[in-house]
Amino acid sequence: MRTALTELFGIDVPLVGFSRSPAVVAEVSKAGGLGVLAATAYGPEELDVQLTWIEEQVRGRPYGVDVLVPASTVGDRRELVARLRAQIPAEHIEFVRSLLEKYGVEPGDLARGHGAADDQVVGVAPEGVEALVDVAFSHDIALIANALGPAPPFLVERGKREGVVVAALVGNARHAARQLDAGVDLLVAQGTEAGGHTGTVATMVLTPEIVELAGATPVLAAGGIASGRQMAAALALGAAGVWCGSVWLNSVEDITPDYIKRKFQAAESTDTVRSRTRTGKPARQLRSAWHDEWERPDAPEPLGMPLQMMLAKDAWQRIDAAAEQGVAGANALGSFFVGQVVGSFGELRPAAQIVADMAAECAECITGLQRVIHGGAA
């Protein structure tokens, strides 16, 4: 298959695999796609280690990183964690503490937090994101994607200066126009079916709208794409390829806790919810008792990003640890970001096999459509 995406990166399959799992990223690139690591899952030092490892695995094949870059960035990381934590209301800390106790999870000192969680949250704060960007550009990345508002000038300028493709995720035409004005090289039209931060427009509607608006700028379709048939549909809508995230959560290499993977496999496509209760911005995730508790009439309103994210990360570290130890209440709370394709999850497969299966099914689907056009002729 040859599209603007495959030509841009010299890859064999018009597929981008977005994941927080370094092994998934490496396997997607090795299988002929483009693996992209979720950089904000790591602090700067750990990101450097993970990118070094990925480069050792892919042996020159292209890969990229995804960051959450605010429109403006200032300052450094000094005293940032303490300053952010001081802004979290006592009411919210008490609510989460009571919630965890109700479900049998030891809350610990939520006001103090965890060093690792704080380091990750700083990666989405204006004062901390530049450190992640610096680490990313110190490696041989082929793409850097921004999923939080218009790409700031420093990111676009640095990408062009260093020969790195700058991509941006968009959820509506207004967002796309702003990104094009900012000078990005690649747009990802992410429909509401997607896991994580996402808007309200469906992929089937959004993709051709963004393709028409983008002109010569390549567009990828994202949201609800986990099979070759869906990949073929994206190409038919005018996309140069697909950006897939949720499908890798059902891979062998993914680092999501086993108990969450089991919940995914038992879920239906209707079992997700867009909620601000994990990061402070609407993000699609598996519905659980956590969301039910935050929807109670007496629950406080979720905070904005990064404060809600900081508060929730403390809680989720404890929930995951307790669930892995067999605490039933923790299992009821357990959740993670995932799209509506969760209803199609079955047995775990290697990431490379997922790429191969999607590519083969896509080709078969396109061939079948050609037979339809020619009246059933082979």
Side-chain angles (χ1 to χ4, degrees):
M1 288 180 280
R2 284 291 174 263
T3 72
L5 178 68
T6 63
E7 296 298 327
L8 184 61
F9 294 105
I11 57 179
D12 301 319
V13 183
L15 178 151
V16 175
F18 166 72
S19 175
R20 64 173 178 158
S21 306
V24 169
V25 173
E27 289 302 309
V28 169
S29 287
K30 288 162 62 178
L34 181 75
V36 172
L37 184 69
T40 46
Y42 303 95
E45 294 78 14
E46 181 62 15
L47 178 62
D48 183 56
V49 171
Q50 298 299 347
L51 296 186
T52 298
W53 182 86
I54 289 172
E55 288 172 347
E56 292 172 350
Q57 304 303 309
V58 301
R59 296 180 179 274
R61 291 180 181 271
Y63 77 98
V65 297
D66 176 278
V67 290
L68 299 177
V69 185
S72 62
T73 57
V74 295
D76 55 34
R77 301 166 70 87
R78 292 173 300 178
E79 301 181 355
L80 176 57
V81 168
R83 179 154 50 83
L84 289 172
R85 286 209 161 272
Q87 298 176 42
I88 300 177
E91 173 192 13
H92 287 73
I93 296 174
E94 177 57 26
F95 175 79
V96 174
R97 185 194 64 78
S98 298
L99 187 160
L100 295 181
E101 288 183 341
K102 177 179 178 179
Y103 287 84
V105 178
E106 171 57 47
D109 187 356
L110 289 169
R112 183 174 181 180
H114 283 304
D118 288 341
D119 202 30
Q120 294 169 20
V121 171
V122 165
V124 300
E127 298 89 334
V129 71
E130 286 189 354
L132 292 180
V133 172
D134 286 341
V135 170
F137 276 105
S138 73
H139 287 266
D140 190 24
I141 59 173
L143 171 145
I144 186 164
N146 176 34
L148 191 66
F154 87 88
L155 185 65
V156 176
E157 292 167 3
R158 189 165 184 181
K160 293 187 182 303
R161 185 170 65 249
E162 302 194 26
V164 174
V165 172
V166 178
L169 278 71
V170 298
N172 59 48
R174 185 178 65 257
H175 294 164
R178 291 175 181 171
Q179 296 288 7
L180 290 170
D181 288 343
V184 300
D185 306 300
L186 180 70
L187 290 176
V188 181
Q190 180 175 282
T192 190
E193 302 95 324
H197 297 116
T198 191
T200 59
V201 183
T203 305
M204 180 67 73
V205 174
L206 181 66
T207 302
E209 185 176 9
I210 303 304
V211 167
E212 182 174 356
L213 178 68
T217 301
V219 176
L220 306 184
I225 300 172
S227 73
R229 283 177 292 179
Q230 291 161 334
M231 184 175 175
L235 295 176
L237 292 173
V242 294
W243 175 288
C244 304
S246 295
V247 66
W248 316 112
L249 296 169
N250 200 46
S251 70
V252 174
E253 295 87 354
D254 180 73
I255 61 175
T256 301
D258 288 341
Y259 89 98
I260 293 292
K261 288 189 176 184
R262 291 191 293 270
K263 294 187 74 169
F264 284 163
Q265 291 172 338
E268 298 180 357
S269 58
T270 54
D271 291 333
T272 67
V273 61
R274 285 177 73 248
S275 171
R276 293 177 51 231
T277 62
R278 187 147 185 159
T279 70
K281 291 183 177 292
R284 189 173 297 284
Q285 53 212 273
L286 189 70
R287 175 178 279 280
S288 75
W290 168 272
H291 306 94
D292 296 338
E293 293 293 335
W294 278 94
E295 291 175 2
R296 286 172 14 203
D298 60 336
E301 281 293 314
L303 303 169
M305 181 184 281
L307 301 184
Q308 183 72 17
M309 193 174 183
M310 180 171 279
L311 178 65
K313 271 188 175 291
D314 292 345
W316 284 108
Q317 286 195 343
R318 293 173 169 87
I319 291 169
D320 287 343
E324 293 285 20
Q325 294 171 4
V327 177
N331 188 81
L333 289 171
S335 174
F336 193 64
F337 307 107
V338 70
Q340 292 178 334
V341 295
V342 68
S344 67
F345 285 8
E347 293 184 3
L348 299 181
R349 290 179 291 162
Q353 187 63 53
I354 293 174
V355 174
D357 288 347
M358 288 183 65
E361 187 179 64
C362 179
E364 180 181 358
C365 184
I366 292 173
T367 300
L369 291 173
Q370 290 175 332
R371 286 197 294 268
V372 171
I373 293 172
H374 295 290

